Every structure is written in structure tokens, then in C-alpha cells.
């Protein structure tokens, strides 16, 4: 395989995936879409009686996603039971543009063909952790672009529970199937079965595809929140949200105006037992500031920074004291030069395999020459490592609430003193440490 420096630099700006705010949301009929904060059981009916349509009723009725005429926020706020109404926001995925030039009783990892490429599972001792737990009896929702329903390593996808929440769906016929590639890669990191090539952190979990993106264009925040709410509704043990919004959204910005509603939906999901794992974002920047960042500013989200094969902070990963909860492998090294092999150590993993290799839609080209698998780096790849670990913890502690699951993961982490590391939060996840601690506590070791 021959990947040149030119190729890498071309793609460096779009590493992994970050959600970019592209404007306000509108429905297919041309109506504007709003996020409404409701304060009363009759608010939904009152909104409908006023001539608006309600697409989603979230967080047990306290947040509504509403469509109607443009510039109607004031009209909505005049309705009894509505305390706030703001235009919804559309986000698009920044696609990585790496135009590479390519020349029994067994544990799940024993027979999979390509586990030697899974440095991310090796550095976090995932394969050894499978002696204690594999995610059996758990469920993880992938709130993303969908999941390839025909991938041989994703036979644990529950298509019947899969949903598509897409305002302007240009491919409604595919349902929860993948409209791109991102969700399939994330799903494999969480729970690929190892039937053929790769093993996820929780290979026996049930994967639920929740598609919130069309094939072209952006997702509305209302649909993303609907996906999170649905994950809690179906009892998902974790919901992965690999859609970090770049930069600090200052007071008065479109997203900042939705802060209270985002928090309400996330907190409702966590109260119902769903751990929400979110990516810290790929801007190489500090998250400290007076504004709002997503998911980092939402206490209910478990925010994940990205680390390298050398357990250093990946050069693109955001950071920030009190904003990062935990760290996990996301790929690439702490500098572009080391990532590319210009500097580094003799045993460094070469580019692009120092990204995270995972499942890939079978009908798309693989840039690493393995059909059905490809390598991407980003905090998007770090968050699902934690979602899979949450499934292992829930298998061992089925009655644990979301907070206790997060605490167990943090206690098993390595490389940080306490929970205040600006780069790693409580540390870099270690699956074996985490499940061994629980097995010892429960008398199963």
C-alpha cells in the first residue's frame, strides 16, 4: 500500500466526521421547523389547534419538534404552555476527503480474519475482557447515518427496531440502512460480531440503526433529538452520538438557543437508563469558554476525546478540563508528522492503519484494500469504543443506572489522575480493568 504525504494532507482537514451547522431547518413542504419547550400536558394539542404540525413529541412531552410558517417563533410562544420556540438547526457531516492511492468456546477474536489490525482493541484490552462479558443481553442504538444491513460482521443488527428520523428523506426506501458509511463504521466499533473479519467491543450486543441523515444534505437537530429519545424509549443500554459540533457556540447563536431543549432530551434519556456517548469534536481546540458546545456542555452526555496507538491525545481531538469525561482510541498520533511516519518510534503503526479500522458498507470502495472494511480517524471513532464498553458493564450490572455505568468505566480507565485531565478526563478506557473490577465485586472472579 502506498499512501503519499500529498494524499494525507489533502484529507487532514476532514479527519473523521464533525457535524457542521449549515442553517435553519425546513420541512419538505417548505415550512420552517422549530424546537419548542412545552410546559403542560395540553401543549401539543394547543400547538396543533393553532395550525402547526407536531413531528416529534420528546422527553415525555416536554420538547416538541414543530413545523409551520417561517418566522413564527413569536406566534408559537404566544400559545399557552409554550415557554420557548426557536428555529431548528441543520447540520451536515464534513466528509473526510482522503483520496488514497492504494497498491465454539473460542473468544470472538479467535477466528476473525483481521483482528491483528485492531490496535484499538488491543491497547484497551478488549479481547481479554471478552472472557468476562461480550454484551450479551444488551442493546446499543447507533444514532447516525444508518447501518449496512447486509454486512457479514453486523448480523446482530435488529432491523425491525431500526428507524429513520429524516425531515427531508431523499432515500426513504432504505429505512434504517446506511445512507453513507459513517454509521456502519461506528456500529462495527461498538459491536461487530467477528463472523468474518472484525470484532467490536461488545460483539454480542444488539445493534439498533437509528438513521437521522439523508443521503445528501444535513440532518435537523429535531431529528437527532428524536433519535436519542427513541433509543431511550426502546430501552437501549447506550446510544452513540458521534456528531460533535465544532467550536464554542456563543450566547445568541442558533444552537445555543436550543441548549435547554437539548439538555432536557438528553437528561430524559439518561433517567430512563440510556448512556449517551458523544464525540468531543475534531478541531484541535479547547472547549473552555462561556458558550455552549455539544455534546460537551450537556451534563447528561458522556463526552469522549480521541487517543492514538501510543496512548497520546490525537492531534485533532478537542480537549478541556471539565468537558472531557473519558478518552478512547480514535486513531492517528499526536502530530501529523508522526501520523505520516516522518517522525516517531520504530514500532509505530503506519498510516493509514493507525486510524481505526472497522466495518464499511459492502457496496463502497475500501481505501485500504479490504472490501467491507476501512480506516477512519476522529473522535467519532472514539465514542463508540465507550458505547461498546457500556454494554459490557450493563451485562455484568443489569440493574445499574447510567451514572453507575459511567462511573465504572471511569474507575477502570488509565493514564489520568482523577477525573480532571484536560485531555483524557478520567483516563483512557481499559475494558479488562473495567470488567475485572465488576467481576471481583460480584464474586465472579
Amino acid at each position: 500500500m502506498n499512501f503519499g504525504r500529498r494524499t494525507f494532507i489533502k484529507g487532514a482537514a476532514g479527519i473523521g466526521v464533525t457535524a457542521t451547522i449549515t442553517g435553519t431547518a425546513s420541512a419538505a413542504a417548505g415550512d420552517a421547523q422549530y424546537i419548542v419547550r412545552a410546559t403542560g400536558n395540553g401543549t401539543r394539542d394547543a400547538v396543533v389547534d393553532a395550525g402547526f404540525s407536531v413531528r416529534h413529541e420528546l422527553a415525555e412531552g416536554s420538547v416538541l419538534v414543530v413545523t409551520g410558517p417561517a418566522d413564527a417563533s413569536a406566534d408559537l410562544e404566544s400559545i399557552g404552555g409554550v415557554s420557548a420556540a426557536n428555529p431548528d438547526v441543520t447540520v451536515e457531516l464534513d466528509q473526510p476527503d482522503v483520496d488514497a492511492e492504494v497498491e465454539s468456546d473460542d473468544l470472538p477474536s479467535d477466528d476473525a480474519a483481521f483482528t491483528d489490525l485492531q490496535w484499538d482493541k488491543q491497547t484497551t484490552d478488549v479481547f481479554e475482557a471478552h472472557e468476562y462479558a461480550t454484551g450479551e443481553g444488551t442493546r446499543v442504538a447507533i444514532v447516525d447515518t444508518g447501518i449496512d444491513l447486509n454486512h457479514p460482521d453486523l448480523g446482530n443488527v435488529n432491523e425491525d427496531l431500526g428507524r429513520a428520523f429524516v425531515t427531508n428523506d431523499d432515500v426513504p426506501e432504505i429505512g434504517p440502512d446506511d445512507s453513507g458509511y459513517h454509521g456502519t463504521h461506528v456500529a462495527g466499533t461498538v459491536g461487530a460480531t467477528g463472523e468474518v473479519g472484525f470484532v467490536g467491543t461488545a460483539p454480542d450486543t444488539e445493534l439498533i440503526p437509528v438513521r437521522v441523515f439523508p443521503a445528501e444534505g444535513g440532518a435537523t437537530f429535531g431529528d437527532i433529538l428524536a433519535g436519542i429519545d427513541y433509543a431511550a424509549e426502546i430501552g437501549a443500554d447506550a446510544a452513540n452520538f458521534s456528531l460533535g459540533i465544532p467550536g464554542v457556540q456563543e450566547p445568541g447563536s442558533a444552537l445555543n438557543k436550543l441548549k435547554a431543549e437539548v439538555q432536557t432530551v438528553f437528561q430524559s434519556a439518561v433517567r430512563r437508563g440510556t448512556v449517551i456517548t458523544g464525540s468531543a469534536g475534531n478541531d484541535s481546540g479547547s472547549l473552555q469558554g462561556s458558550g455552549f458546545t455539544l455534546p460537551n456542555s450537556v451534563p447528561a452526555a458522556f463526552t469522549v476525546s480521541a487517543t492514538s496507538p501510543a496512548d497520546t491525545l490525537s492531534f485533532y481531538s478537542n480537549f478541556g478540563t471539565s468537558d472531557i469525561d473519558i478518552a478512547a482510541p480514535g486513531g492517528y498520533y499526536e502530530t501529523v508528522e508522526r501520523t505520516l511516519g516522518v517522525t516517531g518510534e520504530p514500532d509505530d503503526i503506519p498510516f493509514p492503519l493507525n486510524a481505526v479500522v472497522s466495518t464499511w458498507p459492502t457496496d463502497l470502495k475500501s481505501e485500504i484494500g479490504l472490501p467491507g472494511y476501512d480506516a477512519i480517524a476522529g473522535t467519532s471513532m472514539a465514542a463508540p469504543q465507550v458505547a461498546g464498553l457500556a454494554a459490557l458493564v450493563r451485562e455484568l450490572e443489569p440493574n445499574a443506572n447510567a451514572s453507575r455505568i459511567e462511573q465504572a468505566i471511569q474507575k477502570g480507565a488509565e493514564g489520568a489522575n482523577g477525573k480532571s485531565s484536560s485531555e483524557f478526563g478520567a483516563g483512557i478506557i481499559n475494558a479488562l480493568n473495567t470488567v475485572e473490577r465488576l467481576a471481583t465485586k460480584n464474586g465472579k472472579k
Side-chain angles (χ1 to χ4, degrees), residues 228-250:
I228 296 290
D229 190 80
Y230 176 70
E233 179 185 326
I234 62 173
D237 298 288
N240 190 78
F241 172 76
S242 280
L243 302 169
I245 302 299
V248 175
Q249 306 296 308
E250 297 298 339

Side-chain angles (χ1 to χ4, degrees), residues 24 29 52 62 67 78 170 187 207 239-240 293 301 306 380 382 386 401 411 434:
T24 54
F52 294 87
S62 56
T67 59
S78 70
D170 50 0
L207 296 169
N240 190 78
T293 69
S380 283
V386 182
N401 61 27
K411 288 178 180 178
T434 301

Side-chain angles (χ1 to χ4, degrees), residues 3-381:
F3 297 85
R5 182 176 179 82
R6 175 195 62 77
T7 294
F8 177 80
I9 297 301
K10 180 180 179 183
I15 290 185
V17 171
T18 296
T20 301
I21 298 171
T22 57
T24 54
S26 60
D31 288 344
Q33 186 156 291
Y34 303 88
I35 306 293
V36 171
R37 196 182 322 155
T39 59
N41 293 331
T43 305
R44 183 186 190 283
D45 292 340
V47 168
V48 172
D49 289 345
F52 294 87
S53 297
V54 176
R55 290 192 63 235
H56 306 303
E57 188 172 4
L58 311 176
E60 301 163 299
S62 56
V63 174
L64 306 176
V65 179
V66 172
T67 59
D71 301 319
S73 293
D75 293 335
L76 279 164
E77 289 176 347
S78 70
I79 299 171
V82 173
S83 62
N86 288 290
D88 195 0
V89 172
T90 298
V91 296
E92 291 191 12
L93 297 179
D94 283 340
Q95 306 289 350
D97 186 21
V98 181
D99 187 16
E101 299 172 5
V102 179
E103 296 194 1
S104 70
D105 291 328
D106 292 345
L107 296 179
S109 58
D110 288 347
D111 295 322
F114 305 121
T115 53
D116 59 325
L117 299 179
Q118 294 190 265
W119 64 265
D120 54 315
K121 307 306 186 198
Q122 295 164 17
T123 60
T124 54
D125 294 334
V126 164
F127 298 143
E128 294 84 353
H130 289 162
E131 296 181 12
Y132 297 91
T134 57
E136 184 175 359
T138 66
R139 174 179 290 171
V140 178
I142 309 299
V143 182
D144 213 294
T145 64
I147 301 176
D148 182 355
L149 302 177
N150 298 309
H151 198 288
D153 279 340
L154 298 175
N156 51 346
V157 170
N158 187 328
E159 183 178 355
D160 291 337
L161 281 180
R163 292 290 185 275
F165 297 98
V166 183
T167 301
N168 299 316
D169 197 351
D170 50 0
V171 283
E173 68 278 2
I174 73 170
D177 207 339
D178 203 334
S179 60
Y181 64 85
H182 191 257
T184 296
H185 195 279
V186 166
T189 299
V190 173
T193 63
E195 181 69 23
V196 175
F198 278 77
V199 179
T201 301
D204 287 333
T205 195
E206 181 182 52
L207 296 169
I208 310 298
V210 181
R211 182 168 67 88
V212 295
F213 280 88
E216 302 290 339
T220 71
F221 236 84
D223 288 341
I224 293 170
L225 295 179
I228 296 290
D229 190 80
Y230 176 70
E233 179 185 326
I234 62 173
D237 298 288
N240 190 78
F241 172 76
S242 280
L243 302 169
I245 302 299
V248 175
Q249 306 296 308
E250 297 298 339
S253 69
L255 181 58
N256 200 300
K257 291 179 180 179
L258 302 179
K259 179 179 179 179
E261 290 73 33
V262 171
Q263 290 177 332
T264 296
V265 173
F266 277 42
Q267 288 166 348
S268 172
V270 168
R271 280 197 304 271
R272 287 179 275 172
T274 300
V275 175
I276 301 174
T277 50
S279 53
N282 306 327
D283 298 305
S284 312
S286 173
L287 298 171
Q288 306 302 127
S290 59
F292 176 65
T293 69
L294 187 71
N296 319 296
S297 296
V298 183
F302 202 36
T303 302
V304 188
S305 62
T307 58
S308 75
D311 287 341
T312 54
L313 188 73
S314 301
F315 70 82
Y316 52 81
S317 181
N318 287 345
F319 55 90
T321 304
S322 303
D323 286 287
I324 302 300
D325 295 306
I326 201 76
Y332 296 163
Y333 287 98
E334 68 276 6
T335 65
V336 172
E337 290 75 17
R338 187 175 183 183
T339 299
L340 195 60
V342 176
T343 63
E345 301 297 327
D347 59 350
D348 280 355
I349 299 170
F351 172 81
L353 297 178
N354 49 30
V356 173
V357 183
S358 185
T359 47
W360 193 252
T362 52
D363 59 348
L364 295 183
K365 178 184 177 182
S366 166
E367 297 292 353
I368 63 171
L370 293 177
Y373 309 94
D374 216 336
I376 315 177
T379 55
S380 283
M381 284 60 255

